[in-house]
Amino acid sequence: MVDLALIGVTKRFGRTTAVDDMSLSVNHGEFVVLLGPTGAGKTTTLRLIAGLERPSAGRVLIGGHDATSWTPAARDVAFVFQQYSLYPHLSVAENLAFPLQAPGRNVDPATIRRRVGDIAELLRISHKLDDPVTQLSGGEMQRVAIGRALVRQPAILLMDEPLSSLDAKLRDDLRIELKRIQTGLEATILYVTHDHAEALTLADRIGVLDRGRLVQIAEPREIYCRPKNLYVARRLGSPQINVLPADGIDFVAAPAGAAAMALRPEDIVIGGNGHRADLVRVERLGAETVLHVRFGAHDLRALLPPGSTLPEGDSVSLSIDNRAAHFFTADGERLEEACVS
Amino acid sequence: MAEIRVHNLLKRFGAFIAVKGVSLTVADGDFFVLLGPSGCGKTTTLRMIAGLEIPTEGEIRVGGEDVTFRRAAQRDIAFVFQLFALYPHMNVRDNLLFPLKAQGVARRERQARLAEVARLLRIDQILRRPVGGLSSGDRQRVALGRAIIRRPKAFLMDEPLGALDTEFRELMAEELRALHDRIAATTVYVTHDQTEAMAMATRIAVMDRGNVLQVGTPAEIYERPATRFVAGFVGTPVMNFLPVRLPVAAGTRRVVIDGAEVTVRPLREVPARGETVLGVRPEHVALADDGPLRGQIYGLEYMGARQIVTVETAAGHVKVRVPAGERLRIGENVGLRPDPSRAHLFDAATERALVMGNADG
């Protein structure tokens, strides 16, 4: 069941096209993440769905109905922002209850209490229900903000980088919680971020945006292993994928029509019986180590898995599984199937 | 370029002590990172080195000279701020030359240095462009160029990449470090981002609440953290910490975690009050059916080259790093085995890492 669909939606601001002929559907209970750098059109897309912007062209469907001209209130979507917006003079419980007390909702007090209790438990903030929100930590505040969006059981949840203002540890924890909550509630979520790790870990499907256009939408493993073009290949993965001319590595044969080859750092195997390359720098990142090597005329990043023995001296032996190389045309479009991982 | 020495540096703002007697030596050519959470005193320390704050107590030496009370402009140090403070009405070339004109450097010398900086930063082709139309990466390079062209004794940088998108930040970090390798400039760099610190630093000082907790190479900090705070601050996902409630004796090779016996290296000292915490990184825990700890898979995070599994155990959540290809599912029962040679014990009361012997004796 499709809960949300954009059909050929375009949004122009003066001469700038922020969203360009976008078609996208999000199924009931699905977690879709839109990934792209600043200015790719992520936030505008969310605002178009929420009804905070009107499209210049195209239609927005919610629950199968054309919602293009509906008011934000009529759309039954909830929005969670990067900066949590809570009522500072209210307690956690009062903040959570607030959306249910809006005039016209007619939710009875017993139901409100039950729903607030349930959501607080889900978000592990039951013990803080009576605290003023100003006494909460950043992570707790963001959980309350998410809880406030969930409590009224909206058809669709829109999230705009909701974790980006939190510190790394908290972000890691909340990411897992958010995914569990979404799965448990079968919530339909459209989430935008510029953080590829967040996209890979949260999404059922990732949509990659480039200057207002949806370039590719697919499951995380699919999009990582078979990026549709060079732009997508570069958006996902850390360290970033190596891109070099198609004939840049003499022992990896390029198919006809290939202009560029791309290699994931983890697909460059160091050690054993391979080809000689100069070792430029060893970057020890803790669990993993990145080797910067020079092979012929090209600088490459190779990722060593945890527990690897570090090479000594100023050269290494490298090999590449032929199937691991991605090839692209001069226009950057994908040529061959590839992916070993 | 020069060595920077900081001795017993203390900074008081009214009743609040931001920096509590910090001593550090930044060797000539070091890429030295001050790492810590916001409010740890790292930026205040940097600003005192720059001459933007006067220390309440202590001494600062640059290249052997006492500069503690010297004005910022007289320290011959370049400060690169977060974001790119460029003159918008000038082109790239004029932005770069500005500091030299202000110093009265001769025209010939100016041209020679401009050529050198343009080559180092690979910005030859944009010298005539107005800075307004540049990409953020090029703007950052020009801002750096303006610092380099003066040939200062040292560079100070305060989260210069903080405002960039994650992906772009990685590339700029790589470039900054490559630049450092080419010109071997003494650099003090402030960040709260441990990945950035690990990737760039020759040495790291980890700070918390006004104190330096540990100074070392990235590998030393990662492999032999001095305190639980350092252990938890460096590394992603963070180290797993599991409480050991039963007291441990010197020489012990086993600790009990929620009824299960976990093998560790022999303990060479005894914690003051008995309670300890076992710390083990996600890459040093193996999924093993016969492992001493058991739990249920709580979360799975696919990350392309890697995968993180969160396991709910009776002692708390444990994160395990596994290859991306391994297919697991939420709810699955698994056994966990921490690598005995890579597990740490911390004193629960003082948070200090306890001294341990080798795995084999």
Side-chain angles (χ1 to χ4, degrees):
Chain A
M1 183 181 130
V2 174
D3 246 22
L4 168 70
L6 298 183
I7 301 171
V9 169
T10 294
K11 177 64 185 177
R12 290 183 210 94
F13 294 105
R15 291 156 82 182
T16 319
T17 304
V19 174
D20 190 359
D21 192 22
M22 189 179 304
S23 293
L24 165 77
S25 64
V26 183
N27 297 318
H28 176 73
E30 194 181 20
F31 199 138
V32 171
V33 176
L34 295 180
L35 174 72
T38 310
K42 306 186 295 288
T43 299
T44 306
T45 304
L46 289 193
R47 291 176 59 84
L48 285 163
I49 296 165
L52 302 173
E53 302 285 353
R54 281 294 176 89
S56 312
R59 290 185 299 147
V60 177
L61 303 189
I62 293 175
H65 302 284
D66 188 337
T68 319
S69 59
W70 292 2
T71 63
R75 295 187 183 209
D76 196 20
V77 301
F79 214 128
V80 180
F81 301 93
Q82 178 180 348
Q83 296 300 339
Y84 21 84
S85 43
L86 301 176
Y87 297 107
H89 57 290
L90 299 182
S91 70
V92 170
E94 287 163 340
N95 263 282
L96 289 174
F98 198 86
L100 298 176
Q101 291 162 334
R105 283 207 176 263
N106 297 323
V107 187
D108 65 85
T111 307
I112 291 179
R113 263 198 309 279
R114 184 173 49 76
R115 299 249 292 260
V116 167
D118 287 352
I119 217 77
E121 196 164 314
L122 196 64
L123 294 161
R124 302 180 177 206
I125 42 172
S126 304
H127 56 295
K128 302 260 176 163
L129 274 176
D130 296 326
D131 292 11
V133 289
T134 45
Q135 283 177 17
L136 301 182
S137 69
E140 289 164 345
M141 282 202 212
Q142 191 60 308
R143 270 184 277 171
V144 176
I146 293 169
R148 215 168 51 166
L150 290 171
V151 77
R152 61 184 181 80
Q153 301 167 341
I156 298 154
L157 204 53
L158 305 175
M159 307 188 111
D160 192 356
E161 312 221 10
L163 307 182
S164 64
S165 58
L166 305 173
D167 71 42
K169 158 96 174 99
L170 205 57
R171 209 160 51 216
D172 287 353
D173 289 349
L174 265 184
R175 209 160 58 194
I176 294 176
E177 295 302 334
L178 183 60
K179 183 70 187 169
R180 284 182 66 90
I181 291 165
Q182 183 266 337
T183 316
L185 293 179
E186 293 185 17
T188 306
I189 297 185
L190 186 62
Y191 182 110
V192 308
T193 183
H194 66 261
D195 182 338
H196 60 94
E198 228 167 68
L200 284 171
T201 55
L202 284 172
D204 294 321
R205 285 189 300 152
I206 300 173
V208 179
L209 298 189
D210 179 20
R211 287 164 291 171
R213 283 176 300 116
L214 181 66
V215 184
Q216 183 175 7
I217 181 160
E219 288 173 13
R221 284 177 195 265
E222 168 74 13
I223 213 162
Y224 187 80
C225 291
R226 272 177 283 280
K228 193 166 172 265
N229 60 25
L230 266 176
Y231 177 84
V232 175
R234 285 191 169 112
R235 297 284 86 65
L236 293 150
S238 171
Q240 208 182 37
I241 199 165
N242 296 290
V243 179
L244 52 168
D247 58 357
I249 294 193
D250 50 17
F251 60 89
V252 179
M261 177 191 328
L263 294 166
R264 294 269 178 217
E266 65 270 26
D267 291 333
I268 298 178
V269 180
I270 300 291
N273 207 354
H275 304 258
R276 193 183 165 282
D278 294 330
L279 180 60
V280 178
R281 194 160 83 80
V282 178
E283 196 180 346
R284 305 191 55 175
L285 298 177
E288 293 165 343
T289 302
V290 179
L291 298 187
H292 297 260
V293 301
R294 195 162 176 82
F295 182 77
H298 305 290
D299 291 318
L300 299 172
R301 289 179 292 268
L303 183 68
L304 297 186
S308 308
T309 333
L310 293 186
E312 286 175 28
D314 51 13
S315 74
V316 293
S317 156
L318 68 80
S319 49
I320 293 157
D321 185 333
N322 255 317
R323 292 170 302 161
H326 306 256
F327 290 99
F328 300 91
T329 65
D331 297 330
E333 294 303 314
R334 175 174 200 85
L335 261 176
E336 292 267 304
E337 294 288 297
C339 197
V340 285
S341 49
Chain B
M1 287 295 152
E3 175 195 86
I4 299 171
R5 268 176 189 275
V6 158
H7 186 64
N8 276 340
L9 210 56
L10 186 138
K11 179 66 185 181
R12 209 186 287 276
F13 294 105
F16 176 68
I17 307 176
V19 177
K20 299 171 182 166
V22 162
S23 297
L24 295 168
T25 301
V26 180
D28 187 7
D30 246 351
F31 196 113
F32 194 95
V33 173
L34 295 174
L35 173 69
S38 60
C40 72
K42 57 191 189 299
T43 294
T44 307
T45 303
L46 190 76
R47 289 174 59 84
M48 287 192 279
I49 298 172
L52 301 172
E53 299 283 356
I54 300 293
T56 313
E57 287 170 28
E59 188 186 72
I60 301 164
R61 288 180 174 270
V62 177
E65 278 179 84
D66 184 347
V67 300
T68 316
F69 298 104
R70 216 178 270 179
R71 292 166 55 176
Q74 294 165 337
R75 293 189 184 199
D76 201 8
I77 285 174
F79 202 109
V80 181
F81 289 92
Q82 193 170 3
L83 274 182
F84 343 90
L86 300 175
Y87 298 109
H89 57 288
M90 294 183 186
N91 66 16
V92 169
R93 180 178 166 278
D94 292 339
N95 261 284
L96 289 171
L97 287 175
F98 190 84
L100 298 186
K101 285 185 179 157
Q103 280 180 353
V105 175
R107 190 185 147 77
R108 252 200 131 133
E109 174 71 15
R110 290 205 302 257
Q111 292 308 324
R113 289 208 212 165
L114 177 69
E116 183 194 5
V117 164
R119 183 179 51 79
L120 273 173
L121 293 167
R122 298 170 180 142
I123 49 173
D124 309 83
Q125 67 295 346
I126 58 164
L127 286 177
R128 301 278 168 193
R129 297 253 298 272
V131 293
L134 297 181
S135 70
S136 49
D138 283 339
R139 290 173 73 92
Q140 189 71 280
R141 277 179 211 116
V142 176
L144 271 175
R146 220 165 51 166
I148 296 169
I149 204 164
R150 283 170 43 199
R151 294 190 182 157
K153 288 193 181 130
F155 293 106
L156 307 181
M157 303 190 188
D158 188 4
E159 310 235 7
L161 311 180
L164 305 175
D165 281 1
T166 39
E167 171 196 324
F168 190 62
R169 202 153 62 209
E170 252 173 53
L171 291 180
M172 277 311 291
E174 218 169 84
E175 235 177 84
L176 257 184
R177 176 58 204 255
L179 176 70
H180 176 263
D181 290 348
R182 287 199 291 275
I183 63 179
T186 308
T187 303
V188 186
Y189 186 103
V190 159
T191 184
H192 69 276
D193 182 335
Q194 62 88 26
T195 315
E196 218 169 274
M198 291 293 288
M200 298 170 86
T202 53
R203 289 199 305 146
I204 297 174
V206 182
M207 294 186 70
D208 183 37
R209 284 176 271 174
N211 296 304
V212 171
L213 301 181
Q214 186 173 5
V215 179
T217 64
E220 283 164 2
I221 299 265
Y222 191 80
E223 283 161 19
R224 291 190 293 280
T227 72
R228 179 179 165 164
F229 180 88
V230 173
F233 198 77
V234 175
T236 177
V238 296
M239 185 182 273
N240 298 297
F241 295 107
L242 301 167
V244 180
R245 297 254 151 68
L246 294 177
V248 289
T252 192
R253 300 208 50 171
R254 280 184 177 72
V255 294
V256 178
I257 292 166
D258 204 66
E261 281 201 346
V262 174
T263 311
V264 295
R265 290 171 291 153
L267 191 61
R268 294 274 185 249
E269 62 171 324
V270 178
R273 268 185 264 154
E275 288 203 357
T276 56
V277 176
L278 179 89
V280 62
R281 298 201 181 274
E283 67 271 25
H284 299 140
V285 184
L287 292 180
D289 285 337
D290 57 349
L293 300 170
R294 295 212 66 84
Q296 245 191 5
I297 296 185
Y298 183 83
L300 286 171
E301 294 177 283
Y302 169 72
M303 293 182 159
R306 54 200 82 84
Q307 181 172 209
I308 307 298
V309 183
T310 304
V311 180
E312 189 165 41
T313 73
H317 283 182
V318 176
K319 288 190 193 277
V320 185
R321 184 184 281 257
V322 302
E326 211 155 306
R327 296 299 175 120
L328 299 156
R329 54 182 178 74
I330 300 221
E332 205 172 314
N333 283 307
V334 291
L336 300 172
R337 185 188 301 111
D339 178 347
S341 65
R342 309 304 293 266
H344 306 261
L345 279 176
F346 300 93
D347 186 322
T350 64
E351 301 220 323
R352 203 171 50 80
L354 297 170
V355 179
M356 300 172 90
N358 293 323
D360 35 292

